[in-house]
Amino acid sequence: RKEKAKAKQVDRDAAAAAAAAGGGESAELPPITPDDLTPKQVVSALDRHIVGQREAKRAVAIALRNRWRRHHLQPESMKQDVVPKNILMIGPTGVGKTEIARRLARMSRAPFVKVEATKFTEIGFHGRDVDQIIRDLVDVSIQNTKQIRREQHRKNVREAVEEQILRALVGDADESVISIFREQLRNGELEEQAIDVDVPLKDHEGGMPGAATLGGLPGAGGAHGSPGVFAADFVMNLRKMVNSGPGGRRPTEERRLKIKEAREQLEEAEVERLISTDDVARDAVKSAEQDGIVFIDEIDKICKSANESHHGDASAEGVQRDLLPLIEGCQISTKYGNINTDHILFIASGAFHSCKPSDLLAELQGRLPIRVELSGLSEEDLFHILTEPEHNLIKQQQCLLATEGVDLTFTEEAVREIARVAAEVNRTIENIGARRLHTVIERIVDEISFDAPDNKGRQITVDAATVKDKIGDLLQQTDLSKFIL
């Protein structure tokens, strides 16, 4: 039991460290210090998860390294004049544009936010304005900074919480008794034991006005006059006053909880005590300004070709105009203060099926100086996607079914048949890139997955004949679709 408890503790520590490395998600890349992020290493790390697209990988790797170089510039006065070279990725859907940017942010542990260009409207129209992009980036940076601080204080927090639990268990007992209970606690033998502890009260929001209610108050406008920014700040400060006890700490209540439940709440309270909110906000704002990455997807959807008639569209050219000062550099008001966007890296992407990059506003084109074209995926590319990435789709299916005790195997001929079918359907119906592989694989393993709980201990092999049998109707539908008007 002791060995099992120790193993669980090691797993918890590893998971926590991985979450910190991945910006709140499970880190799939090994820990890399910023000094090690050379362009070759970045491309090599991206190759572990993304097939092909060498040019795009090189572009983002150089952009990331230039950010590191800027931090080490001498003299200091030159740093303000060196701005990031924003990137425009051009390529069909499902070829890896979003994945490259997401992996880059996780690798560099920088604040990262992905937005859809179509969600925004021109200032003055009903909908979200582009300033919200930066506010979302700051919120992500706040969470990242808090997670880093938690990891820095993890050892102290664990020791303090352990002492609180022991005090609740044995009170002022002799040291010999405390030592016995301490060992049992560390071995996980007391997890189900109930204790009385003081835990923070949850925030009370009932009866309090929201930001939307206060949005119409005078002076409740954002950087471009959007309602709700200062109102949200006012509501947040008001809630802090209501929910704070003496000395600014949250009030507590005594509750009877199992140790495994109490530990989580006590750790959260201890972290709040050790971490200064002002310090977190200050460091998060600096991180967002100096290292933030904004990925704007579907930018071609707010662009109209020269042949299309120009009419008032609050989600098209007006959004492009609003993006100009954001990408060039301006001050955006947030509840944590003004954010300068001069050194935030912007990566935009789009398929540009019905228009061309040259149809974007000329000023916006100038703010996205680096252009990289991502190629469509061939049958051979799809085969490599199924076999080369570290956590490829085949391995994911095998590991998922292994949890049910089913040993699933794909022959090489089966994998090649899957790639062939996916490429054929992409070519004849709609090209959705690598996402087509999900459709094909799910159809193949549908019955196997459904019956998996009844097949524990069995070995199942998927060969080319099985693939053809499972997806024959898909190909038949493809053939018929050619004759549908």
Side-chain angles (χ1 to χ4, degrees):
R1 186 185 293 177
K2 291 181 180 180
E3 292 299 324
K4 188 181 292 185
K6 289 180 180 178
K8 286 181 179 179
Q9 184 62 52
V10 170
D11 290 343
R12 282 198 296 265
D13 292 345
E25 301 178 31
S26 295
E28 299 172 10
L29 295 169
I32 304 176
T33 62
D35 289 354
D36 294 331
L37 289 175
T38 65
K40 288 183 180 179
Q41 289 171 323
V42 171
V43 171
S44 177
L46 291 174
D47 283 341
R48 293 172 52 201
H49 301 278
I50 302 164
V51 172
Q53 314 304 357
R54 194 78 176 176
E55 185 180 351
K57 292 174 182 175
R58 286 173 60 92
V60 297
I62 292 171
L64 187 63
R65 191 60 178 180
N66 280 338
R67 175 162 288 186
W68 178 90
R69 290 164 180 160
R70 177 181 169 274
H71 287 315
H72 291 76
L73 270 179
Q74 293 296 334
E76 289 281 332
S77 58
M78 188 183 295
K79 291 183 179 180
Q80 290 302 316
D81 295 328
V82 178
V83 295
K85 306 299 186 295
N86 299 313
I87 301 170
L88 176 62
M89 293 186 181
I90 306 165
T93 184
V95 298
K97 301 187 296 292
T98 305
E99 189 67 8
I100 288 174
R102 189 171 65 87
R103 295 282 177 185
L104 181 74
R106 186 180 301 182
M107 190 189 314
S108 63
R109 302 169 195 170
F112 172 80
V113 63
K114 174 186 177 292
V115 298
E116 303 286 338
T118 53
K119 287 185 178 179
F120 300 94
T121 58
E122 187 177 355
I123 298 296
F125 288 83
H126 179 71
R128 302 182 73 192
D129 63 71
V130 296
D131 291 356
Q132 189 62 41
I133 297 173
I134 304 303
R135 298 185 192 113
D136 291 344
L137 181 69
V138 176
D139 288 340
V140 170
S141 185
I142 289 286
Q143 295 304 317
N144 287 359
T145 305
K146 283 183 178 178
Q147 187 63 38
I148 292 172
R149 295 295 178 87
R150 284 192 182 99
E151 294 308 312
Q152 292 174 345
H153 293 290
R154 178 167 295 277
K155 182 178 179 182
N156 294 335
V157 167
R158 185 175 294 138
E159 291 176 353
V161 169
E162 183 180 86
E163 292 301 323
Q164 292 181 51
I165 293 174
L166 288 172
R167 191 162 57 248
L169 278 170
V170 299
D172 298 327
D174 294 335
E175 187 60 36
S176 57
V177 176
I178 294 177
S179 298
I180 294 172
F181 276 88
R182 189 190 305 276
E183 184 177 358
Q184 292 177 339
L185 183 63
R186 291 179 177 177
N187 292 335
E189 299 174 14
L190 303 175
E191 293 297 290
E192 299 298 322
Q193 178 73 38
I195 57 174
D196 295 318
V197 291
D198 292 329
V199 295
L201 285 169
K202 294 186 180 296
D203 290 346
H204 296 291
E205 299 181 5
M208 290 193 60
T213 306
L214 298 175
L217 289 176
H224 290 101
S226 56
V229 180
F230 296 111
D233 193 13
F234 172 75
V235 171
M236 184 182 69
N237 291 332
L238 185 58
R239 282 176 181 158
K240 282 183 180 179
M241 292 171 58
V242 172
N243 293 318
S244 296
R249 297 185 62 180
R250 288 169 63 185
T252 61
E253 64 174 347
E254 185 176 292
R255 294 180 62 190
R256 189 165 185 82
L257 300 169
K258 293 181 180 179
I259 287 179
K260 63 181 181 181
E261 298 170 350
R263 181 183 287 108
E264 182 179 347
Q265 297 191 38
L266 291 174
E267 285 183 353
E268 186 64 29
E270 187 66 20
V271 166
E272 284 188 8
R273 188 183 68 83
L274 292 174
I275 295 178
S276 166
T277 305
D278 292 338
D279 289 346
V280 168
R282 183 178 62 251
D283 291 349
V285 166
K286 181 179 179 182
S287 178
E289 288 183 333
Q290 302 298 323
D291 300 313
I293 300 175
V294 173
F295 184 81
I296 305 175
D297 203 4
E298 307 290 357
I299 197 169
D300 57 314
K301 302 301 187 294
I302 60 171
C303 173
K304 294 188 178 297
S305 67
N307 298 327
E308 292 186 65
S309 59
H310 293 278
H311 60 276
D313 187 349
S315 298
E317 191 171 309
V319 178
Q320 292 187 53
R321 286 194 297 269
D322 291 341
L323 282 171
L324 292 178
L326 201 70
I327 298 178
E328 186 179 41
C330 64
Q331 295 279 340
I332 301 296
S333 296
T334 74
K335 58 188 176 184
Y336 302 104
N338 288 340
I339 305 298
N340 191 314
T341 67
D342 285 346
H343 299 102
I344 295 175
L345 175 65
F346 288 86
I347 303 175
S349 79
F352 291 97
H353 288 311
S354 57
C355 60
K356 305 185 296 294
S358 58
D359 292 324
L360 290 168
L361 292 179
E363 297 87 350
L364 187 58
Q365 293 181 51
R367 288 160 176 78
L368 299 167
I370 299 178
R371 294 188 186 182
V372 291
E373 293 193 22
L374 288 82
S375 57
L377 300 175
S378 64
E379 180 181 328
E380 191 65 22
D381 290 331
L382 294 174
F383 174 75
H384 290 308
I385 289 172
L386 289 171
T387 55
E388 291 183 2
E390 186 173 336
H391 300 143
N392 59 65
L393 295 178
I394 298 294
K395 182 183 289 187
Q396 289 178 28
Q397 289 294 339
Q398 291 172 330
C399 293
L400 284 172
L401 290 174
T403 62
E404 301 271 12
V406 176
D407 184 8
L408 180 65
T409 305
F410 287 80
T411 65
E412 182 177 345
E413 291 76 16
V415 178
R416 288 199 175 276
E417 182 64 16
I418 292 172
R420 186 191 71 78
V421 171
E424 176 68 19
V425 178
N426 275 345
R427 187 163 50 249
T428 55
I429 297 184
E430 182 72 27
N431 188 0
I432 60 173
R435 295 185 179 95
R436 183 70 68 186
L437 294 172
H438 291 275
T439 305
V440 177
I441 291 177
E442 286 302 322
R443 185 170 291 230
I444 293 170
V445 302
D446 177 76
E447 187 176 338
I448 300 172
S449 183
F450 187 82
D451 296 330
D454 302 324
N455 293 326
K456 190 172 184 178
R458 284 191 57 191
Q459 181 175 3
I460 300 176
T461 301
V462 176
D463 55 18
T466 305
V467 173
K468 291 176 181 177
D469 178 58
K470 296 292 185 182
I471 60 179
D473 58 335
L474 179 64
L475 291 175
Q476 187 177 9
Q477 292 171 14
T478 301
D479 293 337
L480 291 174
S481 68
K482 299 176 183 177
F483 306 101
I484 298 175
L485 297 179

